[in-house]
Amino acid sequence: MVASVAPHPRVHTVSVVIPVYQGESTLGPIIDELLALATDSVSPAGNSYRVAEVVLVYDNGPDLSDVVIRGLEHDHEFVHAVWLSRNFGQHAATLAGIATSFGDWVVTLDEDGQHDPRDISVLLDAALQGRAQVVYAKPTNEAPHGWLRNVASRGSKRLANRLLVAPNAADYNSYRLIVGSVARGVAAYAGSGVYLDVALGWVAGRYATAPTMLRGEVRSSGYNLRRLVGHFGRLVLTSGTRGLRVVSYIGVAFTVVGVALAIWVIVVRLTAHFDAAGWASTVVILLLTSGATLFSLGIIAEYVGVSVNMAMGKPAYLITSDPNDGPLGARQPTAK
C-alpha cells in the first residue's frame, strides 16, 4: 500500500516594483532585505510565498542611482532594471515596472526604506483572507514627516474621500499589493498623468487594508510642496468629472447671489433714496465673481489639458535600454 503524500501548498510568486529617483544610498539595504524573501517563505497565516523578482525602475534622478542599479542587477539574478527615457514621476515609473513584471502578485515599494519588506506577508494574508485584488498597507504609527505635511496629507485624502469619486482615497498608500493580472492590465491601459490608485479603483473588485509599521526614512522625502500639490491635483483630475460639477455648483451659487442682489437693488431704488456711491460693494462683487470665473476656467482648462494629452497619444512612460549600452554610452576613441 502506497502512503498518501500531502499536496504541497501553492507558492505565491511576488514581483516587487520599486520606482527609483534618489535611491543611491537606500537601494542596497532594501535589496538585502528582499534577498531574505527570495526563497520560499511562510506568512503568519501559513501561506507560502516567494519574492521572484525585484524590478528597479530608473526615473532619471539627480544622484548615482543608475550606477547602483547596474551593480545590483549584476550581483543578484532576481533584480531587473527598467530604464525610462526621462523623468516621468513616481506613478508613471511604477506603471512601467508593473508592465514588465511576471509574478502572481505585484508589490509596489518606496525606495526610501520606510516600508518593511517583511510586511509583504501581512499584505498577502489580508488579500487571501478577504479575496481582495488590492491591499493597501495601513500604518499604525505616524509617518516620519513633519507635522504640517502629515496634517495636509490626511486632510487631502479625507477631502478626496468625501468630495471626489474615490471612496477609498483615505487608504491610498504607495505600499500596496495587487493581483498580478490586474496590475499589468492597469499598466497597459492607463493614460498620461493617471493616478495609479484611481486607475486601480476602476477595475479592482475588492480592496482591503493591512496594519503595518512605518520605519524612519534613511533620507528625507523627495516631495516638495509643489510636487505634493501636483500629486493631489492629479488625484482630483483623474478621479472623475466631479471637479467639473463643482464648477457648476459655483455658477449656480453666484447666480443665486446675483439675483438676490439685483432684487435688493430694485427694492431699494423703488422704496428709498438710492445712493450711487456704493463703489465698495460693487468692487467686492466684481472681485468675487471674477475670481470664481477664473477659478472655474482653471479647473476646466486642467480637464481639457488631460484630455488633449491623451488624445495626442502622450505616453504615460517610455521604456528604453540602459543608456550605457546605447549610442549615448559609446565613447569616442582617443586620438593617438
Side-chain angles (χ1 to χ4, degrees):
M1 182 176 179
V2 180
S4 60
V5 179
H8 291 284
R10 173 188 173 90
V11 178
H12 297 264
T13 57
V14 178
S15 297
V16 177
V17 175
I18 305 177
V20 181
Y21 182 71
Q22 288 180 304
E24 178 183 352
S25 61
T26 58
L27 285 178
I30 292 175
I31 295 301
D32 289 340
E33 291 181 285
L34 289 169
L35 183 61
L37 305 176
T39 56
D40 292 357
S41 304
V42 179
S43 71
N47 297 302
S48 298
Y49 71 99
R50 179 179 75 254
V51 173
E53 64 169 344
V54 178
V55 182
L56 302 179
V57 186
Y58 179 61
D59 199 23
N60 292 267
D63 61 359
L64 297 179
S65 293
D66 56 334
V67 177
V68 175
I69 289 174
R70 292 186 187 100
L72 292 172
E73 187 178 33
H74 178 270
D75 294 339
H76 302 285
E77 186 177 354
F78 77 134
V79 175
H80 307 296
V82 172
W83 305 92
L84 300 185
S85 60
R86 65 168 178 82
N87 174 250
F88 285 91
Q90 181 183 20
H91 282 256
T94 303
L95 289 170
I98 290 173
T100 66
S101 66
F102 63 78
D104 298 326
W105 302 87
V106 173
V107 168
T108 61
L109 192 65
D110 281 349
E111 61 175 15
D112 55 18
Q114 69 172 347
H115 297 139
D116 191 340
R118 291 174 297 182
D119 287 331
I120 291 174
S121 62
V122 178
L123 301 180
L124 180 62
D125 285 343
L128 295 175
Q129 181 179 1
R131 298 189 61 81
Q133 295 173 315
V134 181
V135 178
Y136 291 102
K138 194 174 185 65
T140 56
N141 60 322
E142 195 72 52
H145 308 302
W147 68 268
L148 181 59
R149 176 175 169 179
N150 289 335
V151 170
S153 177
R154 288 194 298 268
S156 61
K157 288 182 178 180
R158 289 173 182 172
L159 179 64
N161 199 35
R162 291 178 179 273
L163 299 181
L164 304 177
V165 188
N168 60 324
D171 295 322
Y172 286 171
N173 195 304
S174 58
Y175 195 8
R176 48 177 100 75
L177 177 139
I178 317 164
V179 171
S181 57
V182 172
R184 287 183 284 273
V186 168
Y189 75 72
S192 175
V194 69
Y195 197 92
L196 174 56
D197 299 295
V198 172
L200 287 171
W202 292 337
V203 296
R206 293 184 180 180
Y207 81 94
T209 60
T212 60
M213 180 74 72
L214 288 175
R215 304 186 295 193
E217 293 176 316
V218 176
R219 60 164 178 78
S220 60
S221 172
Y223 278 95
N224 53 30
L225 178 61
R226 182 182 63 82
R227 295 186 67 185
L228 289 171
V229 171
H231 203 58
F232 178 71
R234 186 165 61 252
L235 168 61
V236 172
L237 292 175
T238 59
S239 62
T241 58
R242 190 165 292 185
L244 292 175
R245 196 173 303 169
V246 171
V247 174
S248 301
Y249 294 155
I250 292 174
V252 170
F254 274 86
T255 299
V256 171
V257 172
V259 170
L261 286 174
I263 294 173
W264 176 78
V265 170
I266 293 173
V267 171
V268 171
R269 179 68 179 87
L270 295 176
T271 60
H273 175 68
F274 185 73
D275 185 6
W279 61 270
S281 59
T282 302
V283 171
V284 170
I285 293 171
L286 287 175
L287 289 174
L288 288 175
T289 54
S290 59
T293 301
L294 292 174
F295 176 74
S296 302
L297 289 175
I299 294 179
I300 295 173
E302 291 291 338
Y303 275 99
V304 171
V306 172
S307 300
V308 169
N309 283 335
M310 292 185 180
M312 292 177 65
K314 181 180 179 181
Y317 55 85
L318 179 64
I319 297 176
T320 64
S321 59
D322 185 343
N324 276 11
D325 295 336
L328 292 176
R331 296 182 179 180
Q332 297 292 334
T334 55
K336 294 183 179 181

